[in-house]
Amino acid sequence: MARVGKEANLYSIMESASRRSALRWRLALALLLLSLFAAFGFQSLTNAQPGSVALRIIVVNSQQEAQQILDRLKGGEDFATLAKDKSTDPTANEGGFLGEIQPAKLRLELQDALKGLGPGQLSGVVRIPAGYAILQVLQAPPKINIEDEHPFRTLPLAGVGSVRIVVDVDGFNEARAALNLYPKPDGWNQDIGKLCEIREQSLQNAIGQIQRFVAASSQRQLGELEDGHSLLAQLWSCMGDLDQAVEHWQAAYQIAAAHFPKRVARLDEVLGTIYLQRAAMDHSAIHTPVDGSRLFPMHAAAPYLKAGDSEKAIQYFLRSLRQQPDNYEVRWLLNLAYMTLSKYPGGVPKEYLIPEVAFASKEDIGRFVDVAPAAGLNLVTMAGGAIVDDFDNDGLLDVVTSDFDDCAPMHYFHNKGDGTFSDRTAQAGLGGQLGGLNLIQTDYDNNGCLDILVLRGGWDVPKRNSLLRNNCDGRFTDVTRQSGLAEPVNSSQTAVWVDIDNDGRLDLFVGNENSPSQLFWNKGDGTFEDISQAAGVDRRAFTKGVVAADYDNDGYPDLYVSNLYGGNFLYHNNGDRTFTEVSRQAGLLEPRASFGTWFFDYDNDGWPDLFVTTYYLSVEESMRSYLALPPKAETLKLYRNLGNGTFRDVTAKVGLNRVFMPMGCNFGDVDNDGFLDFYLGNGNPSFASVLPSVLFHNREGKSFVDITASSGTGSVGKGHGVAFADIDNDGDEDLFVVMGGAVRGDRYRARLFENPGHGNDWISLKLVGEKTNRAAMGARIKLTVENGGKRRFIYRTVGSGGSFGASPLLQHVGLGRSARIENLEIWWPTSNTRQNFSNVGTNQFLEIRESAKSPTRLERQPFRLGGRKRSAALR
């Protein structure tokens, strides 16, 4: 068994650190603490000013590797050469050169590392959000141009700036530190079952060692004792025991109140947050929901059944606000606590009230109803992915989900066609597929049955993904190793299926965190070849979203990469299995801290536009958006495709210059008007990040408006996998959302929002490729529609939607009121052929094969979700 040295023993770390300050002691304890959710407030660091120093940097994934590199540097090896060979930082190509930087604008740990260093000297190994860093001070900057490719290269190193980061109450980072410190056998992250076992053991081991440390309280300094209780509180939160978490936070609070008064303001918010979280977890809405529970605005729902914890939360939030009245994060949590007691808005002190008008919808398209429990989707999970699609080819859309918990299985819910689902996880052979943060589907082997890719390790340690081949008999087989996708092991949550060379076989592009992206070429025999380097798409980044589209309409799909740290990438397909990075030329470098993304033609002009979310861990910034205050962080971004290879930022023009915290996100047409809307599931691991998800309605391609409150879709919690789908075959798209946080103390149930209907016309198209890939991914649809004497065009491309959540490959297209389809055109990428069908009827399901002379009507019977009765006639 491979083991780490003495540093693996948490208790010995605390023993050796007993004479240090409380802050330094905690840093020593969390030796491998991965501050992934770090401050993203950004200021330019590379403008040479008095006091600036020229720096190089090397960043790698492990402390052990960093120490080996540091030893080689001390032995005389060249810093720039090692940076180019080993560094995962975007500066690697320039020998790690960061620029001329003002140390005062760096993160505190880097400022400390640079103290006393002169030209030519090296820092020690420093932990930063992107990995483990080594810095070198230069005598003078090298003569290279660093601005062309990565203008935001220094973002991971930046200080907090003016953005207030959410308070950290959840235990995710501490649990990850415990896992990294725990001894592990070789190949542990290839074995899904072993990963579960080690995760459990590492948590129990860490808790046991810290408990022994705290028990020896008479020998401890009070600051260290407070930190010990805080660490236990975090780990118990991760384990899901909020009673223990509350007990240890209270113990930490008592020590701070008596001896460290400056720490009390923060702990007031922490205690308020943990009590509010316990109130939510105890509330019956988690498992047996009351109608409207935890749907925003919550004042219209039944109050939480156990009011005591909400009342305690209010007490602590009020104490915190007395010391920091301008903290909009605490203000929001206070207002939310009053909502749980049905005392909002009247019960909220006027000076802290966030008024109802701040959340009001300017449009009302009808109210959706959550029917998940009635439909048999009784799913309570941590964060996870979602696919809604027809996996057994019976004409009914099934639901597949994953769970971030390393010990929790996937779920496969079979649509029974009567408004309910049955859990067929075991029968499908998926019970052993544990963990997984995101899922995407396709028919990679062209056998007519949809397969599943499970993505693992995002935000966490590297873990292998799983390719699950659909056997077409109701079961799936894990073919990851046979297919060539098992190695190397990375941390990922994002991938896209795309036929890069139009050979009729779907290739796979995977975005990784702190590792190069990977492009796997489908060889057509069930295996894949990694062509990332040869294709020119293997840049290292902290990638959170990858999507594909033919943005310049040249017949070949291009790739977009959304990175949380630094600039994003747009890879133009050269048509020969190679790509050229053109983000700067296209005008797509920003946002600097981005996450979810997709291409969609929001204005129906025939050119794929690009939507990118930002991801700042700031509840306050979301509240500032609701209150129409100027944002301090980057907003969402919508880029309109100008048709000449470039994009224009139209975010403010369309009303999307707002800040949220989106993870799961996707798009669809909620009112069948022919224009694509979208839904964002908000949150991060902190229990304080309890923002409502948001639904935006597209106003004829001219602007977007928030309809969350009026539609009843604002689930308060952590939103992840999102899918738009006509699950009940009634002609409008329902909305399925996997909810839940990153730890067991933040589980929540999934939502299935039934569409109320709007009377607009529609058509659903199942495309079947012959020369083109069987799933028809990348095939393009153009509808010429007449509404009331006015002609317009509607465009769609076959795919599953956004980068976190998967809608059906079946394309549901809204047509608007009293629609007549003049022409339906399908473009098939492999054969480069076009089919045109005139005077196609509306409000029906059609199948169109690549070589067919006419569409085939599919018989689909509507039903009412939850098994309720409804008319047999389709709208």
Side-chain angles (χ1 to χ4, degrees):
M1 176 179 289
R3 294 180 179 271
V4 293
K6 293 182 179 179
E7 71 273 15
N9 189 303
L10 294 175
Y11 189 67
S12 67
I13 291 172
M14 290 182 284
E15 289 287 349
S16 65
S18 63
R19 292 182 297 276
R20 303 176 187 175
S21 69
L23 175 61
R24 295 184 67 83
W25 170 80
R26 182 162 183 174
L27 289 174
L29 170 67
L31 181 63
L32 299 180
L33 182 62
L34 302 180
S35 304
L36 291 173
F37 307 100
F40 298 140
F42 177 80
Q43 300 174 353
S44 175
L45 305 180
T46 57
N47 296 329
Q49 299 179 21
S52 296
V53 294
L55 294 176
R56 290 192 191 272
I57 191 170
I58 293 173
V59 181
V60 292
N61 292 330
S62 74
Q63 187 184 41
Q64 182 180 11
E65 184 181 7
Q67 187 60 53
Q68 291 171 350
I69 291 172
L70 182 59
D71 292 341
R72 292 172 64 179
L73 291 169
K74 290 179 177 179
E77 293 194 43
D78 180 64
F79 195 105
T81 301
L82 281 175
K84 289 180 180 179
D85 184 41
K86 300 293 186 182
S87 182
T88 64
D89 191 75
T91 61
N93 291 337
E94 295 84 31
F97 181 54
L98 280 169
E100 294 182 77
I101 289 176
Q102 293 180 285
K105 291 184 178 180
L106 290 171
R107 298 175 58 82
L108 289 176
E109 58 265 44
L110 294 177
Q111 293 182 40
D112 289 342
L114 287 172
K115 287 178 180 177
L117 294 186
Q121 293 184 316
L122 301 165
S123 73
V125 175
V126 187
R127 186 71 184 95
I128 63 172
Y132 294 85
I134 303 166
L135 295 169
Q136 183 186 47
V137 179
L138 303 180
Q139 182 72 44
K143 295 180 180 180
I144 60 175
N145 185 348
I146 68 167
E147 293 300 322
D148 288 343
E149 295 190 47
H150 301 287
F152 310 119
R153 61 178 59 226
T154 50
L155 180 63
L157 313 181
V160 172
S162 60
V163 176
R164 194 192 299 268
I165 303 304
V166 65
V167 67
D168 180 19
V169 188
D170 54 81
F172 175 72
N173 282 335
E174 286 77 3
R176 184 177 177 184
L179 178 62
N180 275 289
L181 288 164
Y182 194 75
K184 297 175 281 292
D186 295 336
W188 63 277
N189 51 7
Q190 284 278 4
D191 186 330
I192 300 171
K194 179 61 69 174
L195 177 60
C196 164
E197 178 184 324
I198 291 173
R199 175 75 76 178
E200 295 296 298
Q201 292 171 349
S202 67
L203 283 168
Q204 295 292 347
N205 180 65
I207 288 173
Q209 293 189 42
I210 299 171
Q211 283 176 332
R212 291 195 292 275
F213 176 84
V214 169
S217 57
S218 61
Q219 303 173 22
R220 307 296 173 203
Q221 295 180 6
L222 289 170
E224 296 171 1
L225 183 59
E226 181 206 331
D227 281 343
H229 282 295
S230 297
L231 284 167
L232 283 172
Q234 296 280 37
L235 289 169
W236 282 119
S237 294
C238 179
M239 292 286 284
D241 192 332
L242 298 190
D243 292 339
Q244 289 273 11
V246 166
E247 178 182 332
H248 285 286
W249 279 126
Q250 282 286 6
Y253 187 91
Q254 291 170 9
I255 295 171
H259 303 283
F260 308 105
K262 291 184 179 180
R263 302 184 188 181
V264 171
R266 173 184 171 275
L267 286 173
D268 278 326
E269 182 180 358
V270 168
L271 262 295
T273 299
I274 195 69
Y275 275 116
L276 186 60
Q277 180 70 10
R278 190 168 72 170
M281 293 300 103
D282 285 343
H283 185 46
S284 62
I286 300 301
H287 298 287
T288 55
V290 179
D291 186 39
S293 294
R294 292 194 64 146
L295 288 178
F296 190 78
M298 287 172 54
H299 65 278
Y304 281 10
L305 300 181
K306 295 183 179 180
D309 280 346
S310 292
E311 291 168 348
K312 289 177 182 176
I314 288 171
Q315 295 172 12
Y316 283 106
F317 291 143
L318 288 172
R319 290 178 189 172
S320 179
L321 285 168
R322 282 193 284 270
Q323 299 182 64
Q324 43 182 352
D326 63 341
N327 188 324
Y328 284 98
E329 173 177 307
V330 182
R331 283 195 185 191
W332 160 245
L333 293 172
L334 175 69
N335 280 256
L336 184 62
Y338 276 105
M339 290 182 197
T340 68
L341 298 173
S342 294
K343 294 182 179 180
Y344 172 88
V348 184
K350 292 183 179 180
E351 64 269 32
Y352 303 133
L353 176 65
I354 299 178
E356 290 181 277
V357 67
F359 309 108
S361 298
K362 295 180 181 179
E363 277 188 5
D364 187 351
I365 65 166
R367 191 166 183 85
F368 290 64
V369 177
D370 179 13
V371 296
L377 294 173
N378 296 306
L379 183 68
V380 178
T381 65
M382 288 162 50
I387 305 172
V388 178
D389 216 320
D390 183 0
F391 286 95
D392 53 2
N393 290 329
D394 64 354
L396 300 168
L397 296 176
D398 311 304
V399 174
V400 176
T401 66
S402 61
D403 193 321
F404 192 49
D405 187 338
D406 285 323
C407 297
M410 293 175 59
H411 282 279
Y412 172 56
F413 293 97
H414 176 256
N415 190 332
K416 295 162 64 178
D418 61 359
T420 65
F421 293 78
S422 60
D423 191 336
R424 289 191 181 176
T425 305
Q427 298 95 311
L430 298 176
Q433 290 294 330
L434 308 178
L437 188 52
N438 195 11
L439 304 168
I440 55 173
Q441 84 279 24
T442 198
D443 181 3
Y444 81 92
D445 54 359
N446 289 333
N447 72 344
C449 301
L450 291 176
D451 314 296
I452 299 171
L453 180 72
V454 185
L455 295 153
R456 296 188 178 90
W459 298 119
D460 203 16
V461 298
K463 310 169 190 176
R464 80 159 171 90
N465 299 325
S466 289
L467 178 60
L468 307 177
R469 183 180 185 274
N470 191 332
N471 301 331
C472 297
D473 61 359
R475 293 185 61 81
F476 293 81
T477 299
D478 189 331
V479 295
T480 315
R481 185 164 298 282
Q482 301 94 298
S483 67
L485 299 181
E487 295 179 350
V489 178
N490 293 300
S491 296
S492 179
Q493 67 177 46
T494 183
V496 61
W497 293 101
V498 53
D499 185 356
I500 63 164
D501 52 1
N502 289 335
D503 65 354
R505 301 189 294 266
L506 285 166
D507 313 300
L508 178 64
F509 183 57
V510 182
N512 296 310
E513 297 175 359
N514 286 336
S515 298
S517 294
Q518 295 166 286
L519 178 58
F520 295 97
W521 180 66
N522 190 334
K523 297 165 67 175
D525 59 0
T527 67
F528 294 82
E529 177 184 348
D530 188 338
I531 62 169
S532 313
Q533 185 173 14
V537 296
D538 61 337
R539 294 190 174 207
R540 290 186 178 93
F542 198 90
T543 299
K544 302 306 294 181
V546 295
V547 286
D550 181 5
Y551 77 88
D552 55 356
N553 288 342
D554 68 352
Y556 287 92
D558 312 294
L559 303 170
Y560 178 76
V561 182
S562 168
N563 301 314
L564 188 55
Y565 303 135
N568 302 318
F569 310 140
L570 177 64
Y571 291 115
H572 177 260
N573 192 330
N574 300 323
D576 58 0
R577 295 185 198 162
T578 70
F579 293 78
T580 301
E581 205 287 301
V582 295
S583 57
R584 176 176 290 276
Q585 300 93 303
L588 295 178
L589 283 171
E590 296 184 355
R592 301 183 292 256
S594 56
F595 199 157
T597 184
W598 58 70
F599 285 100
F600 69 161
D601 190 353
Y602 82 93
D603 54 358
N604 281 325
D605 67 352
W607 295 92
D609 309 299
L610 180 67
F611 178 78
V612 194
T613 74
T614 53
Y615 194 67
Y616 285 81
L617 306 185
S618 177
V619 171
E620 176 162 288
E621 285 302 300
S622 291
M623 287 304 108
R624 292 180 66 86
S625 283
Y626 280 114
L627 294 169
L629 298 173
K632 298 179 181 180
E634 294 174 297
T635 68
L636 306 171
K637 290 290 184 183
L638 178 63
Y639 291 99
R640 183 172 182 265
N641 191 332
L642 301 181
N644 60 2
T646 68
F647 293 77
R648 176 180 296 151
D649 185 346
V650 296
T651 309
K653 181 180 179 181
V654 301
L656 291 178
N657 51 333
R658 297 177 63 179
V659 180
F660 295 102
M661 214 184 293
M663 295 175 294
C665 49
N666 215 326
F667 60 87
D669 184 357
V670 293
D671 60 348
N672 281 342
D673 66 351
F675 292 94
L676 291 166
D677 317 299
F678 67 87
Y679 187 82
L680 306 177
N682 290 307
N684 77 76
S686 174
F687 294 159
S689 297
V690 279
L691 296 164
S693 299
V694 290
L695 178 62
F696 277 94
H697 179 241
N698 185 341
R699 289 174 160 175
E700 299 183 341
K702 299 173 183 176
S703 65
F704 288 83
V705 61
D706 184 343
I707 59 169
T708 307
S710 62
S711 65
T713 56
S715 189
V716 178
K718 313 296 172 59
H720 284 83
V722 176
F724 287 81
D726 182 8
I727 292 180
D728 48 6
N729 287 341
D730 68 349
D732 49 44
E733 289 190 298
D734 311 297
L735 180 60
F736 179 73
V737 189
V738 169
M739 305 291 300
V743 297
R744 293 175 186 172
D746 203 9
R747 290 182 175 275
Y748 194 63
R749 65 178 189 85
R751 299 281 196 179
L752 175 56
F753 294 109
E754 183 179 25
N755 195 314
H758 309 93
N760 287 334
D761 294 314
W762 55 275
I763 192 166
S764 283
L765 302 173
K766 179 181 179 180
L767 304 189
V768 181
E770 294 174 345
K771 292 183 178 179
T772 298
N773 67 88
R774 181 78 176 261
M777 296 188 79
R780 301 180 73 167
I781 301 165
K782 177 183 177 182
L783 285 153
T784 306
V785 178
E786 184 262 323
N787 298 97
K790 295 182 179 180
R791 176 183 290 177
R792 63 172 173 146
F793 303 106
I794 301 173
Y795 296 88
R796 296 288 187 271
T797 300
V798 177
S800 59
S803 57
F804 203 143
S807 300
L809 301 184
L810 173 79
Q811 294 299 293
H812 178 93
V813 186
L815 304 173
R817 186 81 56 169
S818 303
R820 184 175 69 87
I821 299 174
E822 293 182 0
N823 190 68
L824 166 61
E825 177 181 292
I826 311 294
W827 175 74
W828 298 92
T830 297
S831 60
N832 192 24
T833 58
R834 282 176 167 80
Q835 295 167 309
N836 285 276
F837 306 104
S838 301
N839 297 315
V840 176
T842 62
N843 303 331
Q844 61 177 329
F845 295 83
L846 298 178
E847 178 180 286
I848 303 176
R849 292 183 171 269
E850 189 166 1
S851 61
K853 300 297 182 183
S854 60
T856 300
R857 182 180 174 110
L858 301 174
E859 296 300 325
R860 298 286 186 264
Q861 292 300 315
F863 48 86
R864 193 68 182 268
L865 288 170
R868 292 169 291 169
K869 294 181 180 180
R870 71 176 305 148
S871 168
L874 288 172
R875 282 198 294 273

